Amino acid sequence: MRHRDRQARNRARKLWKIRVKGMLALCAGAVSFLAGIWLLVAGLPQAMAEEHDFKAATPCPASVVASRADCLRAAWFTVDEVRISKGRGSSYSAQLSGPADWSGRIDFDGEKPLLRRLHPGDRVAGTVWRGDIVAVFALGTGQRTSAHPVGGPLYAAGFGVALIMAGGQGLFAARWWLKRPEECLNRTPAPLTAAGWSALGLGCYAIVLTFWLLSFDAQVWLLLVSWLVAAMPLCCVLFYGFTRSPRPQ
C-alpha cells in the first residue's frame, strides 16, 4: 500500500513538473514567436527603407551643415583605442576622435579586414550618414561598422524566421506538456521530437543562410525564397505525420 502511495506521489510530482515546464514553454514560445513576427512585420520594412535610402544617398554639398543629414559625408578621425574581444560575448570596437558631432566609440561586426590592423594614433577616413559613421577606410582597405544599413533586411528576416521557429516549437511543446503530460512521463513523444529537430534545423538554416548571403550583399527575397524551398517539403511531411497521430482529448 505504501509502495503504491509512493508511486502515486512520484507520478503526481512528475506530472506537475511537466505542466510547469509546459507553462514556461508557453510563455517563452509566445515571446519568441511574437518577437519574430515583429521583426518581419515592423523591423524588416524599416530596414529595407533605410537600406534603400542609403543606396540612394549622394555626397553632401558644401552648404549642408546638419550633423544628421541624409547625404554622405566624409571626415577624418584619429584612432584612440582598439578593442577586440573574442569568444563568448565577443566585441569589436574602436574609439575615434575628430569632428565633435561624430567622435566616440564605433562598433564592428568583426575584426577583418581593417580593425585588427588599426593602432592608436592611426588616421582613418570615415563615411558619415544620418549622424553615424557607417564605414572607415585606412591602409588601403575599408570596413563597415555595425551602423551600416546595407544588410539590415537580411538580419531582420533571418533572425525573425529563427525566432518564429523557436517560438513555434515552444508553443507546440507546451501543447503536449499541458494537454498530454501522461504521454511525456517516460519518453518524449515522436511528434514532439520530430518537430523539435525540424524547428532547430530550419532556425539554424535561416541564420547560416543570413550570414552567407551577407557576404555578398544579397537581396532579402533570396533569403526568404531559399528558406521556403527547404522548409515547405519538410513542413508538408511533418503536417502529414501530425494529422495521423492521435489528437489530445
Side-chain angles (χ1 to χ4, degrees), residues 8-27:
R9 287 195 300 269
N10 289 337
R11 178 182 173 85
R13 188 180 300 111
K14 290 180 180 179
L15 288 174
W16 179 81
K17 290 181 178 179
I18 291 173
R19 291 190 175 97
V20 170
K21 185 166 62 173
M23 290 300 300
L24 294 175
L26 179 64
C27 295

Side-chain angles (χ1 to χ4, degrees), residues 108-164:
F108 299 84
D109 294 331
E111 62 178 324
K112 299 179 182 179
L114 177 60
L115 182 63
R116 65 177 181 176
R117 300 172 59 189
L118 294 178
H119 300 89
D122 288 346
R123 294 282 286 171
V124 298
T127 299
V128 180
W129 182 69
R130 291 184 177 177
D132 294 319
I133 302 173
V134 296
V136 293
F137 302 88
L139 306 175
T141 188
Q143 185 172 349
R144 295 173 178 175
T145 71
S146 299
H148 201 287
V150 174
L154 285 172
Y155 277 117
F159 282 91
V161 168
L163 284 171
I164 288 175

Side-chain angles (χ1 to χ4, degrees), residues 179-198:
K179 301 190 73 173
R180 306 171 73 169
E182 293 83 2
E183 299 181 41
C184 306
L185 277 173
N186 300 317
R187 62 182 178 86
T188 302
L192 187 53
T193 300
W197 282 111
S198 300

Side-chain angles (χ1 to χ4, degrees), residues 194-245:
W197 282 111
S198 300
L200 177 63
L202 290 175
C204 291
Y205 176 59
I207 299 298
V208 171
L209 193 61
T210 296
F211 285 102
W212 179 63
L213 293 175
L214 277 169
S215 64
F216 51 90
D217 292 339
Q219 297 294 314
V220 68
W221 64 264
L222 187 58
L223 183 149
L224 297 175
V225 170
S226 300
W227 185 84
L228 285 172
V229 167
M232 289 304 295
L234 180 59
C235 290
C236 290
V237 171
L238 289 174
F239 180 77
Y240 176 77
F242 294 159
T243 55
R244 294 175 61 86
S245 65

